[in-house]
Amino acid sequence: MLTKFETKSNRVKGLSFHPKRPWILASLHSGVVQLWDYRMGTLIDRFDEHDGPVRGVHFHSSQPLFVSGGDDYKIKIWNYKMRRCLFTLLGHLDYIRTVQFHQEYPWIVSASDDQTIRIWNWQSRNCISVLTGHNHYVMCASFHIKEDLVVSASLDQTVRVWDIGGLRKKTVAPADEILRLPQMNTDLFGGGDAVVKYVLEGHDRGVNWAAFHPSLPLIISGADDRQVKLWRMNDTKAWEVDTLRGHVNNVSCVMFHARQDIIVSNSEDKSIRVWDMSKRTGVQTFRREHDRFWILCAHPEMNLLAAGHDSGMIVFKLERERPAYYTHAGTLYYIKDRYLRTFDYSSARDNPLISIRRPGTTGSNQGPRSLHYNPAENCVLVCSDADGGSYELYVIPKDGSGRSEAQDSKRGSGSSAVFVARNRFAVLDKSQHQILIKNLKNEVTKKCAPPCASTDAIFYAGTGNLLCRSDDRMILFDIQQRSAMAELTTPLIKYVVWSTDNNFVALLSKHAIVIANRRLNHLCTVHETIRVKSGAWDDFGVFIYTTLNHIKYCLPNGDNGIIRTLDVPVYVTKVFGNTVFCLDRDGKCRSIEIDTTEYVFKLALVQRKYDQVLQMIRSAPLCGQSIIAYLQQKGFPEVALHFVKDERTRFNLAIECGNIEVALASAHELDDKDVWHKLGVEALRQGNHQIVEFSYQKTKNFERLSFLYLITGNTEKLGKMLKIAEMRNDVMGRFHNALYLGDVRERVKILEEVGHFPLAYVTAQTHGLTEDAERIAENLEELPSALPDARLMLPPTPITREDNWPLLTVSKGFFEGAFSAEGPDYAALEGEDIADGAGWGADDDLDLNMDGEQGGDDLDMGEPGEPGEDDDDAGWEMEDLDLPADVAPADVGDGADAVFVMPNSGVPPAQRWASNSSLAGVCAAAGSFDIALRHLNRQLGIVNFEPLKPYLIDLALGPFAILPGMPSSPALFAGLERNWSDSSPPVGKGSPAIIYQLPKLEDTLRKAYKMTTEGKFADALKSFKAIIHTIFCLVVDSRKEVDEVKELLTIARDYVCALQIETKRKEFKDDPVRSAELAAYFTHCNMQPTHLTLSLRAAMSTFYKMKNFQTAATFCRRLLELNPGQKTAQQARQVLAACERTPTDAVEVNYDPRNPFVTCAGTYVPVYRGNRDASCPACGTKFVPDMAGSICTVCEVGKIGMDASGLMCSSSQSRFMD
């Protein structure tokens, strides 16, 4: 038993696995229902509305529901998403033992101590049948997974099988009212729609449990007589096959294993027993010391079991599902179905080599646990847990192709065995506490003691070396020197994976990965919350590993992330580029495509391969918050800035990397007070006082602005700040500005206005303002004495007045320099942005007319650096320069002596186009077909590119004009851009001209309509498919056009489906029933009223001729609703009148006009609303689920069921998504 999860709680009486999610329900004797995530080991929720023990619980197979039944006689239906009870079903008169949902119908079966079994319709919330016949407590009842049967077990010592076929027929096609029993009689005596088919008698005591086999006509039962009985049934009878004895107390629960030929039972004797179905003998027994077992549950799809006992529950597997495998060079060696097989990665060829013997002992976990291959001698070591740990040595035949019979392998006991040299292997003998070195004849050549007394496993570590595992560490052991070379503290390691060059090793434990070098020096540790399953090194030196539900990566420095999600656990065997090769739990070799862009980018950044990083930024579609956070964390905010579109994030990154120009542009967009303040702080740190001034103006921070003007020596602006403070009635602001200016008269005036006459007198007297002092003295009774040593305070003279301070130089890094050519030109912002970007003026934001006073014109600070009308030297100081004659410009007229300098080559337009767009059409027009195909695959799930090949080639040829060159010189290619005008920059971020236009597609649509009306279905089909293929390569400008393109795609898709149905119908001329079905499906396609009228007329005629008058009448009514022409309407009325006289169908067809449906475009059968379906990610066509994974028959390019982001045909979509 491999325990996966265990809980401690009150006695568990009921269990149920969720069919899809890693959840399990446990109903407790205390009345609580717990919902656990057994993968994470966490309690998700608890439900406690029952009064008393809850004995039965069950998940619905598809809805977010579960049902519970308890000792309060109530059945409760819960919605776990809403986290509440939806309703309660009442009817039982005693304890409810078990409850179960039906697999298909909205039914619940319940068993009760009131000696009845009830079947409920949980949608109508009614009891639809009562099964009576048992004369003691009914301990359990359950539906058959496929047939209309119910099995029940009772303490009356019988097992009963009930036939509920009548109930199903009554539910699907209700019988006449006359045939129904009154409800009262049904409750008392049971309805006739569920009858006893068999009564199985054979147990000597009460039967606690009975269950059907999922596929065979078998029943298993367990009783208080301590016996497990196996029964077989056929159409007429049921009989006992065998009895399984071994339990020493009451058998609580028994069941068939869903995936193996075994029976599992548990008992009040505190044991779980596993029985071989074919031999009918006990295989294994698992015991608990103090807890009796009460319930068993099996996962419907996975190899998981759960058992409830007195103090909780356990979730477990009976045996390991990981296949034994080993990878060498380009070949995988693995064991499946008792065969050693090879899988060639390059040719994908699977070849059986030799047969492996079946383990001699019975029981689980006896299969191969590990495999090690010796390429020098072409032999393998197979280790298993059989006989307490053993190994087998097989020599592979040299031809390597025959299915040779099981060889006489060389066997031995030992917990681990690995090759350590060309003809030597090491075996760990734990019983003797020694490591044995043996040759290929299985003879011991050397013995040595392990480096640690608690060594319990050994792993390969290169020639002559071993990795020895003990409880809490790994030891690198040299066999020759018999000494430990290195030691590393780790959790309990399960698997060891070496890189191709043996320079790095990954040590895998249950929840952690330890990366070390060949000398066992620790590099990093990655912790996972769920189980680590496997791993392999890729060509870049990145470790790719899998957990239960993810493929992840780990860089040597410890950075890790998710590559993709897994539906089922897999075991990675090899990583080649973008392909991960793996084995699933069934031993099948699979390949999974992954996107390596993220971790290759991070690896290049860690290894400081900046040229590669720059190339990936410009070409690879990197995006996402994780990349931005990673770059910011690693100290590359300037690189993160390249990916960010959100202005606030751009601002924060620009501040972090000191890019004041980008921060200023983002601040303009945000226009937030806190943003301007941060910008001012960073600009002050850099010494850019012009932007500091502008930031203070934006935030109206007058005090800081005044002080800035003081320290920069801008007395003119200080004077204006004085006037602003006066208008704002800010006394302290006025006084500070006057103090900064050294304006004594203004200070005296301010003090006098606010009534501080003594201070005003002292100020005037001290600074020699006699007249003002005398005037103020008239208001004073006592004159204060003047200060003897007073001096006038004047602001310091600044060293520089115009330029920014040379305090801090922010140097551009590698990436800023590389991006500078691509970034926006912030020096060329228009209008207000010119002044704002330079930090000049913009005083209109200061709200100068606060008190309604006029005078704003007098307070204009002007635009610093702006030339006056009469001042030639003002502002920019553009005076003439006296240049020496040797650098004077040459005469333009005579260029004979001029030296021609070859200009630097620019970026080709195709490269520029491809790097600036995520649209497949643009990339194809630029000639970057690989990027275009990658976009088509991610956005639309396209895997078959052959139909799109001519369109992509035409796109690539379209945006180039050929200019003939001079004689003997090649022609020139000129790139043609979309929406180009005379005002467009010579080298901008344009996009190529696209030859496909939306109006042309609309013309094609009109022609296709006309061909459809004329009955030229083959030509119309080609036109509609051409529209679909063209749309995948189309590029439009506006969101409105995007909506029109999507509508056009829907129309073309629907017509292709419709015309394919009609074309298929003509192939069934000899099968009138199938032809009629397709004619009916044709009428349910979305078409123009004209074409729908024609299809309804054809269907009406077809069904009328078949004498299916009832169905033909429905077509007549639909046809009349379309208001057809007079002649057609008259014919429809006549047919309708004839059909209504005989409203019957002579032939049964697969068509239900009352149930909405779409027609599967692959199998041409209806997919009714509410049923599962699969869709094409490219065109949206619906298919039955069995078509998933195949190519769409409508667009012929998309892979059905594949995940994709959606159609991208406009740059406005990418901006919207950003």
Side-chain angles (χ1 to χ4, degrees):
M1 176 190 291
L2 301 174
T3 302
K4 296 297 180 181
F5 173 62
E6 188 167 0
T7 66
K8 298 293 183 183
S9 64
N10 288 318
R11 181 184 302 168
V12 174
K13 300 294 288 183
L15 291 170
S16 178
F17 280 103
H18 193 283
K20 300 297 180 185
R21 300 184 180 182
W23 294 353
I24 187 169
L25 279 171
S27 59
L28 309 184
H29 200 265
S30 62
V32 176
V33 179
Q34 295 178 334
L35 177 58
W36 291 90
D37 186 321
Y38 55 81
R39 182 177 291 174
M40 302 292 290
T42 55
L43 178 65
I44 300 174
D45 212 337
R46 62 195 307 273
F47 310 89
D48 54 357
E49 290 188 17
H50 277 286
D51 184 13
V54 184
R55 300 179 185 273
V57 68
H58 192 246
F59 268 119
H60 194 277
S61 59
S62 58
Q63 299 294 323
L65 305 175
F66 69 87
V67 59
S68 61
D71 286 5
D72 54 2
Y73 314 165
K74 295 176 182 178
I75 298 173
K76 290 181 178 288
I77 284 77
W78 309 75
N79 186 310
Y80 56 74
K81 285 187 177 179
M82 301 170 65
R83 306 176 68 181
R84 66 182 182 87
C85 176
L86 299 181
F87 53 89
T88 302
L89 301 175
L90 300 175
H92 279 297
L93 305 176
D94 208 333
Y95 297 169
I96 297 169
R97 293 285 179 173
T98 64
V99 286
Q100 183 195 18
F101 281 109
H102 194 277
Q103 192 75 8
E104 298 180 14
Y105 302 118
W107 295 350
I108 295 170
V109 63
S110 58
S112 170
D113 286 0
D114 63 7
Q115 305 180 16
T116 67
I117 302 156
R118 287 179 179 255
I119 299 178
W120 313 76
N121 186 317
W122 59 265
Q123 290 183 343
S124 63
R125 307 184 186 182
N126 293 324
C127 177
I128 57 175
S129 184
V130 181
L131 283 61
T132 58
H134 285 294
N135 53 30
H136 209 304
Y137 299 164
V138 184
M139 301 301 289
C140 82
S142 61
F143 290 113
H144 194 283
I145 193 171
K146 296 176 181 177
E147 301 179 22
D148 297 329
L149 298 174
V150 171
V151 65
S152 61
S154 170
L155 294 187
D156 62 7
Q157 304 180 15
T158 66
V159 175
R160 291 181 179 242
V161 178
W162 310 77
D163 187 342
I164 58 171
L167 181 63
R168 180 184 61 81
K169 292 176 182 177
K170 187 179 81 169
T171 304
V172 176
D176 295 336
E177 293 291 335
I178 302 173
L179 299 179
R180 296 186 183 178
L181 287 172
Q183 183 66 35
M184 179 183 68
N185 294 339
T186 301
D187 286 342
L188 290 176
F189 306 110
D193 46 28
V195 296
V196 177
K197 192 171 184 180
Y198 317 115
V199 178
L200 309 181
E201 298 177 325
H203 283 288
D204 299 331
R205 303 284 295 274
V207 186
N208 291 318
W209 202 267
F212 286 116
H213 192 281
S215 57
L216 299 176
L218 298 175
I219 297 172
I220 196 72
S221 62
D224 288 347
D225 59 7
R226 307 174 185 179
Q227 296 177 359
V228 175
K229 288 186 179 288
L230 181 65
W231 314 79
R232 182 176 288 273
M233 61 181 179
N234 58 21
D235 293 337
T236 57
K237 63 178 181 177
W239 64 96
E240 181 180 338
V241 176
D242 208 343
T243 300
L244 309 177
R245 295 178 175 86
H247 284 293
V248 295
N249 206 333
N250 302 340
V251 179
S252 306
C253 189
V254 61
M255 59 184 296
F256 293 102
H257 195 283
R259 302 181 66 178
Q260 299 176 15
D261 290 336
I262 56 176
I263 296 166
V264 186
S265 63
N266 63 8
S267 163
E268 295 181 37
D269 64 3
K270 307 169 189 175
S271 73
I272 299 175
R273 290 179 180 263
V274 181
W275 314 82
D276 189 314
M277 242 175 73
S278 57
K279 298 180 180 179
R280 293 161 197 164
T281 57
V283 176
Q284 275 186 313
T285 302
F286 310 105
R287 300 184 185 276
R288 292 185 73 87
E289 292 184 7
H290 307 293
D291 301 317
R292 296 168 295 174
F293 283 102
W294 297 102
I295 187 70
L296 273 173
C297 178
H299 196 287
E301 296 181 6
M302 298 171 61
N303 185 24
L304 282 177
L305 298 171
H309 51 77
D310 282 335
S311 59
M313 68 162 175
I314 55 173
V315 178
F316 61 95
K317 289 196 298 189
L318 292 176
E319 64 180 16
R320 185 186 299 105
E321 294 179 284
R322 177 191 176 102
Y325 65 89
Y326 186 84
T327 299
H328 173 71
T331 305
L332 170 68
Y333 296 84
Y334 69 104
I335 295 175
K336 177 185 177 183
D337 299 333
R338 295 179 50 235
Y339 271 94
L340 173 65
R341 310 177 71 93
T342 62
F343 177 80
D344 189 283
Y345 292 119
S346 57
S347 63
R349 182 183 176 187
D350 194 300
N351 184 33
L353 294 181
I354 56 176
S355 174
I356 303 295
R357 76 179 183 97
R358 187 187 299 272
T361 59
T362 59
S364 60
N365 275 337
Q366 303 299 314
R369 186 186 73 248
S370 66
L371 181 70
H372 198 207
Y373 173 67
N374 183 349
E377 300 294 335
N378 202 29
C379 52
V380 293
L381 276 171
V382 179
C383 298
S384 68
D385 293 331
D387 303 324
S390 63
Y391 68 89
E392 297 177 57
L393 176 65
Y394 292 92
V395 178
I396 302 174
K398 292 186 177 180
D399 58 1
S401 59
R403 289 195 180 195
S404 61
E405 296 301 322
Q407 295 186 356
D408 186 14
S409 61
K410 297 176 176 61
R411 306 182 183 93
S413 61
S415 59
S416 304
V418 293
F419 288 105
V420 292
R422 185 179 62 84
N423 55 359
R424 295 288 188 273
F425 64 93
V427 179
L428 176 64
D429 187 352
K430 287 199 293 185
S431 61
Q432 300 294 326
H433 188 61
Q434 58 186 358
I435 297 175
L436 308 177
I437 308 302
K438 297 187 176 184
N439 58 22
L440 298 185
K441 296 180 181 180
N442 207 22
E443 299 169 344
V444 178
T445 61
K446 188 177 186 179
K447 297 181 180 180
C448 57
C452 180
S454 59
T455 299
D456 58 359
I458 57 175
F459 301 93
Y460 175 73
T463 303
N465 294 329
L466 290 174
L467 277 175
C468 300
R469 181 187 74 184
S470 61
D471 295 334
D472 58 349
R473 61 183 181 270
M474 295 290 285
I475 302 172
L476 183 61
F477 182 67
D478 189 315
I479 298 172
Q480 293 288 73
Q481 300 179 6
R482 304 187 182 188
S483 63
M485 301 169 61
E487 186 176 304
L488 181 63
T489 302
T490 64
L492 184 66
I493 299 300
K494 298 173 66 178
Y495 309 105
V496 172
V497 185
W498 286 91
S499 61
T500 307
D501 55 6
N502 280 0
N503 284 332
F504 297 100
V505 63
L507 310 175
L508 279 60
S509 70
K510 193 173 185 180
H511 292 286
I513 298 172
V514 180
I515 305 293
N517 61 14
R518 65 189 306 169
R519 294 300 175 191
L520 220 57
N521 296 322
H522 180 262
L523 298 180
C524 66
T525 300
V526 177
H527 295 279
E528 293 288 343
T529 54
I530 56 179
R531 289 181 178 85
V532 178
K533 305 305 291 183
S534 65
W537 294 86
D538 80 342
D539 299 333
F540 297 103
V542 177
F543 187 65
I544 309 299
Y545 65 97
T546 61
T547 62
L548 279 172
N549 53 357
H550 287 113
I551 298 179
K552 295 188 173 184
Y553 66 86
C554 175
L555 303 184
N557 68 341
D559 294 334
N560 60 86
I562 297 174
I563 297 177
R564 61 169 291 166
T565 304
L566 293 171
D567 297 328
V568 294
V570 295
Y571 303 92
V572 177
T573 60
K574 187 74 173 177
V575 182
F576 278 127
N578 294 340
T579 304
V580 171
F581 291 95
C582 54
L583 286 168
D584 61 16
R585 284 177 164 172
D586 294 327
K588 295 178 182 178
C589 294
R590 296 174 52 186
S591 62
I592 301 175
E593 296 298 320
I594 62 172
D595 184 358
T596 63
T597 307
E598 180 181 332
Y599 73 74
V600 171
F601 174 80
K602 291 182 177 180
L603 184 65
L605 206 59
V606 169
Q607 296 176 346
R608 301 184 181 275
K609 297 180 180 178
Y610 294 144
D611 291 335
Q612 183 182 349
V613 172
L614 194 59
Q615 181 183 359
M616 294 186 68
I617 289 171
R618 288 170 171 164
S619 61
L622 287 161
C623 60
Q625 292 295 327
S626 61
I627 283 286
I628 295 167
Y630 179 83
L631 291 167
Q632 201 167 359
Q633 174 190 350
K634 295 299 178 182
F636 294 98
E638 69 274 15
V639 184
L641 197 60
H642 183 78
F643 299 104
V644 179
K645 304 299 181 185
D646 177 65
E647 291 296 344
R648 190 169 294 276
T649 309
R650 282 181 65 84
F651 175 82
N652 292 331
L653 288 172
I655 290 295
E656 185 176 342
C657 63
N659 194 329
I660 206 70
E661 292 85 0
V662 176
L664 178 61
S666 297
H668 274 294
E669 295 293 331
L670 296 169
D671 199 18
D672 181 73
K673 186 175 181 180
D674 292 335
V675 169
W676 286 116
H677 174 72
K678 290 180 181 178
L679 178 63
V681 171
E682 176 61 23
L684 192 62
R685 189 182 71 86
Q686 294 188 19
N688 194 332
H689 68 76
Q690 295 167 350
I691 292 182
V692 176
E693 174 191 1
F694 183 63
S695 301
Y696 291 167
Q697 290 175 0
K698 281 288 189 180
T699 57
K700 296 183 174 60
N701 200 329
F702 300 108
E703 291 79 8
R704 289 174 181 262
L705 200 56
S706 296
F707 190 74
L708 177 68
Y709 290 148
L710 169 66
I711 60 178
T712 56
N714 200 332
T715 54
E716 180 184 356
K717 294 278 184 76
L718 268 176
K720 294 186 178 181
M721 291 303 297
L722 178 62
K723 295 180 180 179
I724 291 172
E726 184 178 356
M727 294 184 61
R728 296 174 58 241
N729 292 327
D730 183 2
V731 177
M732 287 305 298
R734 286 177 62 192
F735 189 80
H736 281 150
N737 283 297
L739 192 65
Y740 295 158
L741 285 167
D743 190 342
V744 180
R745 290 187 183 276
E746 187 66 23
R747 284 157 53 196
V748 171
K749 178 182 176 183
I750 295 168
L751 292 170
E752 190 176 0
E753 288 178 358
V754 298
H756 289 290
F757 296 110
L759 284 175
Y761 174 78
V762 170
T763 303
Q765 185 68 28
T766 302
H767 292 91
L769 302 179
T770 308
E771 296 180 359
D772 292 331
E774 292 176 355
R775 177 171 48 80
I776 297 169
E778 296 175 358
N779 299 322
L780 294 174
E781 298 178 357
E782 182 179 354
L783 296 177
S785 59
L787 301 175
D789 298 327
R791 289 183 300 145
L792 176 63
M793 293 181 63
L794 292 174
T797 303
I799 300 173
T800 178
R801 291 178 180 268
E802 297 175 358
D803 297 331
N804 286 327
W805 299 325
L807 294 180
L808 180 65
T809 302
V810 180
S811 59
K812 288 189 176 181
F814 176 86
F815 295 107
E816 285 183 297
F819 296 148
S820 59
E822 301 178 7
D825 187 2
Y826 294 104
L829 296 172
E830 296 181 357
E832 179 189 17
D833 292 346
I834 296 177
D836 295 350
W840 303 112
D843 296 331
D844 295 337
D845 294 335
L846 298 181
D847 194 12
L848 304 183
N849 299 322
M850 296 189 64
D851 296 328
E853 299 181 14
Q854 301 298 321
D857 296 337
D858 297 334
L859 299 176
D860 183 16
M861 293 185 182
E863 296 289 337
E866 179 179 340
E869 294 181 1
D870 301 324
D871 189 357
D872 294 336
D873 295 332
W876 297 99
E877 299 181 358
M878 297 295 188
E879 70 271 14
D880 294 333
L881 300 176
D882 295 329
L883 297 176
D886 56 344
V887 298
D891 187 1
V892 179
D894 186 9
D897 297 330
V899 178
F900 175 76
V901 179
M902 177 67 72
N904 294 329
S905 60
V907 179
Q911 180 181 341
R912 189 173 70 250
W913 295 336
S915 63
N916 290 336
S917 179
S918 59
L919 304 181
V922 172
C923 294
S928 299
F929 291 113
D930 54 341
I931 299 178
L933 299 187
R934 198 181 307 142
H935 287 326
L936 289 172
N937 178 261
R938 290 177 179 172
Q939 296 167 6
L940 296 171
I942 294 177
V943 295
N944 179 28
F945 299 99
E946 191 63 30
L948 300 181
K949 183 177 179 180
Y951 300 90
L952 297 176
I953 293 175
D954 290 344
L955 277 175
L957 296 176
F960 292 98
I962 300 177
L963 306 176
M966 299 294 289
S968 302
S969 64
L972 301 177
F973 283 79
L976 306 178
E977 295 190 346
R978 298 176 70 241
N979 305 324
W980 185 88
S981 64
D982 294 336
S983 60
S984 300
V987 180
K989 292 189 175 182
S991 60
I994 305 296
I995 63 171
Y996 301 119
Q997 304 292 332
L998 183 58
K1000 291 182 180 179
L1001 288 182
E1002 293 171 348
D1003 292 339
T1004 306
L1005 179 65
R1006 284 190 284 270
K1007 293 177 183 177
Y1009 279 161
K1010 184 178 180 182
M1011 287 185 282
T1012 305
T1013 306
E1014 295 171 353
K1016 301 177 181 178
F1017 292 155
D1019 296 336
L1021 195 58
K1022 291 180 181 178
S1023 298
F1024 284 117
K1025 285 188 177 181
I1027 291 174
I1028 293 175
H1029 294 158
T1030 307
I1031 285 175
F1032 296 154
C1033 307
L1034 193 63
V1035 177
V1036 295
D1037 295 323
S1038 64
R1039 296 286 300 175
K1040 180 180 178 182
E1041 288 178 320
V1042 173
D1043 296 336
E1044 292 174 358
V1045 169
K1046 291 182 178 179
E1047 183 182 1
L1048 184 60
L1049 176 61
T1050 303
I1051 293 171
R1053 175 200 69 203
D1054 292 339
Y1055 266 86
V1056 171
C1057 293
L1059 295 178
Q1060 285 182 342
I1061 291 172
E1062 182 62 12
T1063 305
K1064 194 73 175 177
R1065 184 184 69 83
K1066 294 179 180 179
E1067 298 177 4
F1068 289 94
K1069 292 182 180 179
D1070 298 331
D1071 187 353
V1073 175
R1074 182 58 175 159
S1075 178
E1077 289 175 352
L1078 293 173
Y1081 303 158
F1082 190 31
T1083 66
H1084 286 265
C1085 297
N1086 293 326
M1087 296 184 288
Q1088 295 292 313
T1090 303
H1091 304 143
L1092 190 57
T1093 300
L1094 295 173
S1095 67
L1096 286 168
R1097 285 181 59 188
M1100 176 185 70
S1101 302
T1102 301
F1103 278 80
Y1104 185 81
K1105 292 175 183 177
M1106 288 177 59
K1107 297 184 180 180
N1108 277 32
F1109 301 123
Q1110 184 176 359
T1111 307
T1114 62
F1115 296 129
C1116 295
R1117 297 186 187 98
R1118 289 175 58 195
L1119 183 57
L1120 292 172
E1121 289 174 359
L1122 295 175
N1123 296 323
Q1126 183 177 358
K1127 182 178 178 181
T1128 304
Q1130 182 179 357
Q1131 182 188 13
R1133 293 190 186 98
Q1134 292 173 353
V1135 174
L1136 180 61
C1139 292
E1140 288 178 342
R1141 286 197 293 268
T1142 312
T1144 59
D1145 287 340
V1147 181
E1148 183 178 356
V1149 295
N1150 183 18
Y1151 172 64
D1152 184 2
R1154 296 167 296 177
N1155 195 352
F1157 68 92
V1158 294
T1159 306
C1160 171
T1163 58
Y1164 303 104
V1165 297
V1167 181
Y1168 291 101
R1169 183 181 297 172
N1171 291 352
R1172 291 180 57 193
D1173 60 23
S1175 60
C1176 170
C1179 63
T1181 308
K1182 300 291 185 181
F1183 296 84
V1184 294
D1186 294 338
M1187 293 288 291
S1190 56
I1191 302 298
C1192 173
T1193 58
V1194 174
C1195 65
E1196 299 177 343
V1197 294
K1199 183 178 180 180
I1200 301 170
M1202 183 175 174
D1203 291 332
S1205 58
L1207 177 65
M1208 291 279 291
C1209 59
S1210 173
S1211 57
S1212 62
Q1213 287 177 279
S1214 59
R1215 288 195 298 269
F1216 180 77
M1217 292 175 69
D1218 290 338

